[in-house]
């Protein structure tokens, strides 16, 4: 069975641009969460979506937004990119609304120049 | 201070046991997790323990929880070079179950 997939693998953008990252959960999983992992740190929670509705939001500015589609895949959008947005963006899926067991994708490495 | 704290590095010899320690601050933590991250990869859930348990064993992995001291440990028996990775401790509280991660412990296994 395919695990969580994310695209693209790597991305280079310049300050002020916007970016869209994509995630496909494990088949049958209805919950998708997004995390930001800055180099040398643990992942920080950005959003959780379950059944196409936002169920949780971390301490990130409004430049960050996300959505979940009817097939449970998800997009993370970041506007007006800053240098500090450079990070590994991880997507995780889980079967339940309460993500006790989450399965992570390989991540998208975003570099902002 | 940090909500979840871990030492940054641990170096062990192949075949020895590794013990990675973690402390957390939230006394209402419900689940405590250990994740493994290999270079260039996402996180792999190794194991998790419910807060009313003291110990959980899964093959070479043993998790010990001291709820009074808010201390969690992961013991890896017979450590192999393939165990070299960054290990993250995380905790979550009831309701959202969104985990809060530590900064990770880099485990280096040398022959």
């Amino acid at each position: 069975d395919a695990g969580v997939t994310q695209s693209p693998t790597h991305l280079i953008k310049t300050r002020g641009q916007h970016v869209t990252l994509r995630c496909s959960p494990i088949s049958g999983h209805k919950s998708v969460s997004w995390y930001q992992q800055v180099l040398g740190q643990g992942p920080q929670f950005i959003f959780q979506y379950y059944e196409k509705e936002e169920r949780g939001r971390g301490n990130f500015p409004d430049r960050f937004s996300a959505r979940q589609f009817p097939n449970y895949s998800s997009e993370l959008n970041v506007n007006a990119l800053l240098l500090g947005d450079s990070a590994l963006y991880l997507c995780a899926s889980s079967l339940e609304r309460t993500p006790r067991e989450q399965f992570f994708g390989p991540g998208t490495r975003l570099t902002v120049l | 201070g940090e909500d979840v704290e871990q030492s940054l590095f641990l170096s062990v010899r192949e075949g020895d046991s590794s013990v990675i320690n973690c402390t957390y601050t939230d006394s209402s933590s419900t689940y405590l997790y250990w994740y493994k991250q290999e270079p260039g990869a996402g996180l792999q859930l190794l194991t998790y323990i419910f807060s009313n348990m003291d110990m959980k064993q899964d093959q070479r992995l043993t998790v010990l929880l001291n709820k009074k001291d808010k201390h969690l440990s992961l013991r890896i028996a017979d450590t192999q070079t393939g165990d070299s990775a960054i290990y993250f401790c995380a905790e979550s509280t009831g309701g959202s179950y969104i985990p809060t991660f530590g900064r990770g412990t880099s485990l280096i296994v040398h022959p």
Side-chain angles (χ1 to χ4, degrees):
Chain A
D1 285 342
V4 177
T5 58
Q6 293 186 241
S7 63
T9 308
H10 297 86
L11 204 49
I12 299 174
K13 292 284 189 178
T14 55
R15 280 178 296 175
Q17 287 188 309
H18 72 272
V19 69
T20 299
L21 310 180
R22 294 179 175 84
C23 170
S24 292
I26 291 171
S27 177
H29 284 195
K30 298 180 180 179
S31 173
V32 170
S33 298
W34 287 95
Y35 294 81
Q36 181 195 65
Q37 186 180 17
V38 173
L39 199 62
Q41 304 285 331
Q44 271 202 297
F45 171 70
I46 310 175
F47 287 110
Q48 187 210 358
Y49 276 78
Y50 179 78
E51 289 282 16
K52 302 180 289 294
E53 288 191 17
E54 183 183 303
R55 301 293 182 169
R57 172 185 280 256
N59 189 21
F60 280 81
D62 292 344
R63 300 185 295 108
F64 288 76
S65 64
R67 54 181 176 165
Q68 187 177 33
F69 298 100
N71 66 354
Y72 303 110
S73 68
S74 178
E75 281 183 356
L76 175 70
N77 294 283
V78 187
N79 292 324
L81 285 167
L82 303 174
L83 296 179
D85 295 331
S86 295
L88 180 69
Y89 288 84
L90 295 164
C91 172
S93 77
S94 60
L95 198 57
E96 302 169 341
R97 176 183 170 177
T98 50
R100 279 171 290 189
E101 285 193 70
Q102 294 189 94
F103 296 86
F104 281 80
T108 294
R109 173 72 62 188
L110 173 64
T111 302
V112 182
L113 302 175
Chain B
E2 299 278 337
D3 294 331
V4 179
E5 288 196 4
Q6 307 176 235
S7 54
L8 294 182
F9 298 99
L10 177 65
S11 178
V12 300
R13 196 181 301 274
E14 191 175 16
D16 288 350
S17 292
S18 308
V19 179
I20 304 171
N21 294 301
C22 168
T23 57
Y24 58 96
T25 57
D26 193 340
S27 57
S28 61
S29 294
T30 307
Y31 285 94
L32 296 123
Y33 308 84
W34 285 104
Y35 286 85
K36 176 183 180 182
Q37 186 175 36
E38 297 184 69
L43 274 69
Q44 174 194 354
L45 177 63
L46 290 175
T47 186
Y48 65 93
I49 189 169
F50 190 54
S51 59
N52 68 354
M53 297 169 64
D54 297 326
M55 186 181 92
K56 183 177 180 182
Q57 189 155 4
D58 184 2
Q59 299 182 340
R60 292 191 298 123
L61 305 179
T62 303
V63 178
L64 294 177
L65 174 61
N66 181 328
K67 198 172 178 184
K68 174 175 166 290
D69 294 338
K70 301 192 193 70
H71 182 268
L72 183 74
S73 68
L74 174 70
R75 179 177 180 270
I76 305 173
D78 187 25
T79 313
Q80 302 298 307
T81 54
D83 294 323
S84 294
I86 301 176
Y87 290 80
F88 290 94
C89 170
E91 61 88 19
S92 69
T93 55
S96 70
Y97 295 103
I98 302 297
T100 299
F101 289 85
R103 293 182 64 181
T105 298
S106 181
L107 175 64
I108 300 161
V109 183
H110 51 92

